[in-house]
Amino acid sequence: MSDKRQQAAIISSNIKRLRSSINWTQAKLAEEAGITGAALSKIEQGEKRIPTIVVLRKIASALKVPVHEITGEIADTVSLEDEETRAFHRKWGMLEELSKDDQEMLISMAERLRKMTKK
């Protein structure tokens, strides 16, 4: 079995299991997720069709589970400090327009300042 087929089968199986556990039909899940019934049917057939991350997030949201429960991946354990750092970087996406050296210098300065102000 190829990696793509294997991943599609895992996603298919997990969606069916989660959907069945709350007694929803495919139509109900599709409606709650905001996707078509045909798309969900193809995903649940599990034949090489791997949904996009957007669709996975819609399905996970409708089922009230994290995406990793659908994909079968192990959830990342992220420390609070790492999550705060990621949030900081997301907020300052404009840094991407600067050179790598300037980005690294500004990020380093901002992180030092943040640590100083936490004390």
Side-chain angles (χ1 to χ4, degrees):
M1 191 181 280
S2 73
D3 288 338
K4 189 173 182 178
R5 281 184 186 223
Q6 190 173 26
Q7 187 63 44
I10 290 167
I11 290 169
S12 168
S13 174
N14 287 338
I15 290 173
K16 284 185 229 178
R17 178 182 49 78
L18 291 164
R19 179 176 57 77
S20 294
S21 73
I22 56 175
N23 296 316
W24 279 6
T25 63
Q26 279 187 345
K28 173 70 173 170
L29 176 54
E31 179 184 336
E32 293 293 322
I35 62 174
T36 67
L40 180 59
S41 177
K42 287 180 181 178
I43 293 166
E44 283 198 6
Q45 287 172 16
E47 296 179 13
K48 296 188 286 185
R49 182 177 172 100
I50 298 177
T52 65
I53 189 64
V54 172
V55 172
L56 282 172
R57 285 183 177 148
K58 287 180 175 186
I59 293 169
S61 178
L63 293 168
K64 295 179 177 41
V65 298
V67 173
H68 69 85
E69 282 193 40
I70 292 174
T71 62
E73 297 172 330
I74 298 171
D76 290 336
T77 304
V78 179
S79 71
L80 180 59
E81 184 174 351
D82 286 344
E83 185 53 44
E84 288 174 352
T85 301
R86 287 180 185 177
F88 171 81
H89 289 281
R90 283 191 297 270
K91 288 180 184 175
W92 295 97
M94 66 185 149
L95 294 177
E96 293 175 358
E97 297 171 9
L98 301 174
S99 72
K100 282 288 185 197
D101 289 339
D102 288 345
Q103 287 179 30
E104 289 173 12
M105 179 182 63
L106 286 172
I107 289 169
S108 176
M109 290 169 54
E111 287 175 346
R112 284 194 309 259
L113 179 60
R114 185 178 58 140
K115 287 178 183 177
M116 289 171 43
T117 59
K118 282 188 171 182
K119 292 180 180 180

